[in-house]
Amino acid sequence: MFQDPVAPEALTLPAGAPAKIWIRHLAKYRDPNPARSGFELAVTLLPFIGIWAAAWAMLSVSYWLAVALALVNGLFLVRIFCIQHDCGHGSFFSNSTVGDWVGRALGVLTITPYDVWRRSHAIHHGAAGNLDARGFGDIDTLTVEEYKARSAFGRFKYRLYRNPITLFLVGPAYVFFLEQRLPIGYMKAGAKYWLSAMGTNVGIAVALGLIVWFGGIMPLLLVFIPSTMMAAVLGVWLFYVQHQFEETHWDHKDDWQVHEAALHGSSHYVLPPVLAWFSANIGIHHVHHLYSRIPFYRLPEVLRDHQQLAEANRLSIRESIKTVGLQLWDEQSRRLMSFRDVHKMFMSAK
């Protein structure tokens, strides 16, 4: 349906070569195809709307079937968020005005204020892997020494935060349903971010008000909340494994380099084709961080043309499950470690 462009000349870098060398080569993949972008938007939104309607209709037959459909629709909502993400990077449409307004409209569906999220995500891209710039758009991560220096209560709070229940259930619910209702972090940054948050809230309120007006409270409880929660959990999980793996990359600002952190601090999450489709190839995260203006549907071209990138930072689903047990960055060994391993290391040093 869409003709692939001619593949650029393959590049292979010697070990230890600067990551920024890739930038000139990856720039060849940055141009979006308007027809392809429109197609990807349509094949995501139309099934999402159809499944939403089917789940609503199913409420008169079986609440369980309605919830099941809603949970499936959470996968399409993840893809909608990923398209919104590409709009935020200016990679989905060449026309930035079109991309921004599509992103704002999708933000009502993902209950994510587009301009607020875009700002915090840009900070994340500009500071990922920088130990002196943590705190915006990332998972809180302490170094071993920082953890050891904390009080017993401080360690308890960090352990509670890094508990899987907090990270992947409580956290997503809090962030998407509560935190994003206000421009947290940008309360004094200007009207733009308040308009983004409040405008999104108004859009959500109107949509949910119409749903309750025509269908009562049950579509809200058994369709909207399950699908949104499913997408929130999956989205947080994807974001987590993109940077929280054993051999990720962290440095203090004097040694930190944005391209090195992008390439070596972002995973290549190898997913089955169906899951790669629903997540809009966001698993090819090391390439995305190296060059965020590449549309998601062109990321596989990069791996096809550059075997070195295809083999870098590979993380399987089985391997990704193990990353949940890694909570502390050890600056000596330059790897993420578990609380248990750090405790053993601490005891052996006594």
Side-chain angles (χ1 to χ4, degrees), residues 210-273:
L210 290 172
I211 289 170
V212 173
W213 178 269
F214 288 105
I217 195 69
M218 298 314 288
L220 185 67
L221 296 178
L222 300 183
V223 182
F224 168 74
I225 291 178
S227 62
T228 304
M229 189 62 192
M230 171 65 90
V233 169
L234 293 176
V236 169
W237 170 255
L238 287 169
F239 185 77
Y240 176 87
V241 299
Q242 287 160 4
H243 300 285
Q244 297 282 320
F245 56 100
E246 184 174 2
E247 296 179 352
T248 188
H249 192 90
W250 289 87
D251 278 307
H252 286 285
K253 62 181 180 180
D254 291 340
D255 299 315
W256 177 82
Q257 207 285 327
V258 63
H259 300 112
E260 299 297 326
L263 177 59
H264 302 295
S266 307
S267 66
H268 172 197
Y269 197 23
V270 183
L271 295 171

Side-chain angles (χ1 to χ4, degrees), residues 316-331:
S316 69
I317 292 179
R318 177 177 295 182
E319 291 168 336
S320 73
I321 300 300
K322 297 177 182 179
T323 66
V324 178
L326 304 175
Q327 299 94 0
L328 296 164
W329 175 251
D330 182 37
E331 295 182 81

Side-chain angles (χ1 to χ4, degrees), residues 136-340:
F136 273 92
D138 55 15
I139 302 295
D140 288 351
T141 306
L142 293 180
T143 68
V144 171
E145 295 303 318
E146 289 169 340
Y147 178 74
K148 289 164 62 175
R150 284 197 167 192
S151 64
F153 183 62
R155 293 182 189 181
F156 169 75
K157 287 195 298 182
Y158 183 68
R159 293 179 76 100
L160 182 63
Y161 169 79
R162 296 290 297 215
N163 185 284
I165 294 175
T166 304
L167 281 179
F168 306 118
L169 288 177
V170 178
Y174 168 74
V175 169
F176 283 88
F177 288 106
L178 296 177
E179 184 179 79
Q180 294 191 148
R181 306 287 60 81
L182 292 171
I184 301 297
Y186 308 102
M187 305 285 275
K188 298 180 180 180
K192 176 180 180 179
Y193 302 107
W194 279 98
L195 287 172
S196 177
M198 296 304 107
T200 303
N201 290 344
V202 168
I204 295 168
V206 169
L208 296 184
L210 290 172
I211 289 170
V212 173
W213 178 269
F214 288 105
I217 195 69
M218 298 314 288
L220 185 67
L221 296 178
L222 300 183
V223 182
F224 168 74
I225 291 178
S227 62
T228 304
M229 189 62 192
M230 171 65 90
V233 169
L234 293 176
V236 169
W237 170 255
L238 287 169
F239 185 77
Y240 176 87
V241 299
Q242 287 160 4
H243 300 285
Q244 297 282 320
F245 56 100
E246 184 174 2
E247 296 179 352
T248 188
H249 192 90
W250 289 87
D251 278 307
H252 286 285
K253 62 181 180 180
D254 291 340
D255 299 315
W256 177 82
Q257 207 285 327
V258 63
H259 300 112
E260 299 297 326
L263 177 59
H264 302 295
S266 307
S267 66
H268 172 197
Y269 197 23
V270 183
L271 295 171
V274 171
L275 295 182
W277 188 87
F278 277 113
S279 59
N281 300 317
I282 200 63
I284 309 175
H285 210 64
H286 59 320
V287 177
H288 169 67
H289 259 259
L290 265 177
Y291 208 100
S292 61
R293 291 295 300 273
I294 300 174
F296 76 81
Y297 50 80
R298 299 202 64 183
L299 290 172
E301 295 176 34
V302 176
L303 300 189
R304 179 197 66 195
D305 298 339
H306 302 289
Q307 187 64 26
Q308 195 170 9
L309 290 176
E311 297 299 326
N313 301 355
R314 292 174 68 89
L315 186 70
S316 69
I317 292 179
R318 177 177 295 182
E319 291 168 336
S320 73
I321 300 300
K322 297 177 182 179
T323 66
V324 178
L326 304 175
Q327 299 94 0
L328 296 164
W329 175 251
D330 182 37
E331 295 182 81
Q332 301 302 315
S333 64
R334 297 191 59 77
R335 64 187 182 95
L336 277 179
M337 301 180 67
S338 67
F339 289 126
R340 180 180 300 177

Side-chain angles (χ1 to χ4, degrees), residues 2-56:
F2 302 102
Q3 185 176 2
D4 286 337
V6 177
E9 182 180 354
L11 173 68
T12 301
L13 299 182
K20 65 181 180 180
I21 295 176
W22 283 106
I23 301 304
R24 179 169 59 86
H25 294 267
L26 295 180
K28 300 170 185 176
Y29 300 87
R30 64 174 284 170
D31 293 331
N33 180 327
R36 177 68 182 271
S37 294
F39 172 79
E40 297 292 349
L41 187 61
V43 298
T44 305
L45 282 178
L46 293 178
F48 174 77
I49 295 169
I51 295 173
W52 226 109
W56 189 338

